[in-house]
Amino acid sequence: MAYKYIDNYREQGARKKLVEELRKKGIEDENVLKAIGKVTRHYFFDETFWNQAYKDIAFPIGEGQTISQPYTVAYQTELLHIKKGDKVLEIGTGSGYQACILLELGAKVYTIERQEKLYERTRQVLPRMGYKPRFFLGDGSKGIASHAPYDKIIVTAGAPTVPEILLSQLNIGGILVIPVGDEESQKMVTILKTGANDYEKHELDTFRFVPLVGERAW
């Protein structure tokens, strides 16, 4: 992860090209695209790999994890329909890139990571970039009940099923976005909580995420 915070015309131009690429791939929410265009994704890379930062690809960040493909981040974020002030729970902090996008949209972000090295790294780096979500270390498959309910919940790892405990932590009218399937591929699932025990579920496109590991997952 980079510790030299330089954002010159080359990186800014690369972000503009990335935004246009995502627009062509079907991302329509202009606020999401604006956030992608603002967050300095190269800061999450060792300087040696800055030339990879604005390609629409996932990239290894250590501990068997990746920084998600920008298209995937934009796709999930668009499904959340973030409004300024939304209280959002992110399951799987990873690099912290997704959390930065949510914060750019005006969300109040609670983010949990089970890998201690990633947690410690991200907890140091994001504030240096000007982003201050609330960080938690632990089993994200159980959510963070002590701060529930949430307006939106986003899961950035593939789950075998939708953990009921996450649904219980949603506000009525809240949205959960989670990839569900096996360890090879998952369908993106959105769930709208319409009542105390009532939900609308939609299955969308196929993706491949790292597995969600925890008591309520793999």
Side-chain angles (χ1 to χ4, degrees), residues 91-150:
I91 309 297
T93 310
S95 67
Y97 179 61
Q98 174 72 76
C100 293
I101 298 297
L102 295 170
L103 288 163
E104 279 291 344
L105 291 168
K108 298 174 183 176
V109 179
Y110 295 69
T111 184
I112 185 166
E113 172 59 52
R114 64 181 294 275
Q115 296 275 2
E116 189 168 0
K117 286 183 180 179
L118 288 180
Y119 164 79
E120 290 294 348
R121 184 193 303 167
T122 308
R123 197 163 62 104
Q124 291 177 31
V125 171
L126 261 62
R128 291 179 192 169
M129 295 172 61
Y131 296 107
K132 297 179 180 178
R134 295 192 63 175
F135 294 98
F136 297 84
L137 176 65
D139 181 356
S141 73
K142 297 189 289 187
I144 308 175
S146 59
H147 292 279
Y150 304 95

Side-chain angles (χ1 to χ4, degrees), residues 2 6-7 11 15 40-46 50 53-54:
I6 300 167
D7 186 36
E11 281 73 40
R15 282 201 298 282
T40 48
R41 191 171 185 256
H42 62 285
Y43 288 176
F44 298 98
F45 290 66
D46 185 279
W50 275 9
Y54 297 108

Side-chain angles (χ1 to χ4, degrees), residues 3-157:
Y3 292 97
K4 282 176 65 178
Y5 297 110
I6 300 167
D7 186 36
N8 61 27
Y9 290 117
R10 182 178 61 184
E11 281 73 40
Q12 293 165 22
R15 282 201 298 282
K16 287 180 181 178
K17 288 182 180 178
L18 175 60
V19 166
E20 289 310 310
E21 185 177 352
L22 297 183
R23 186 179 276 116
K24 288 176 183 176
K25 288 184 176 181
I27 302 301
E28 297 178 347
D29 189 319
E30 288 299 323
N31 289 326
V32 173
L33 290 168
K34 188 182 293 185
I36 294 282
K38 187 169 181 182
V39 175
T40 48
R41 191 171 185 256
H42 62 285
Y43 288 176
F44 298 98
F45 290 66
D46 185 279
E47 192 174 354
T48 308
F49 301 109
W50 275 9
N51 64 336
Q52 303 292 311
Y54 297 108
K55 293 181 180 179
D56 190 24
I57 57 172
F59 200 83
I61 57 171
E63 309 305 312
Q65 306 296 303
T66 61
I67 181 170
S68 294
Q69 180 184 359
Y71 174 76
T72 304
V73 171
Y75 185 98
Q76 282 196 290
T77 306
E78 193 169 57
L79 292 174
L80 288 171
H81 300 285
I82 296 292
K83 298 184 182 73
K84 190 171 182 179
D86 274 350
K87 186 178 178 182
V88 180
L89 172 61
E90 179 193 26
I91 309 297
T93 310
S95 67
Y97 179 61
Q98 174 72 76
C100 293
I101 298 297
L102 295 170
L103 288 163
E104 279 291 344
L105 291 168
K108 298 174 183 176
V109 179
Y110 295 69
T111 184
I112 185 166
E113 172 59 52
R114 64 181 294 275
Q115 296 275 2
E116 189 168 0
K117 286 183 180 179
L118 288 180
Y119 164 79
E120 290 294 348
R121 184 193 303 167
T122 308
R123 197 163 62 104
Q124 291 177 31
V125 171
L126 261 62
R128 291 179 192 169
M129 295 172 61
Y131 296 107
K132 297 179 180 178
R134 295 192 63 175
F135 294 98
F136 297 84
L137 176 65
D139 181 356
S141 73
K142 297 189 289 187
I144 308 175
S146 59
H147 292 279
Y150 304 95
D151 300 306
K152 312 287 167 63
I153 299 177
I154 178 172
V155 181
T156 63

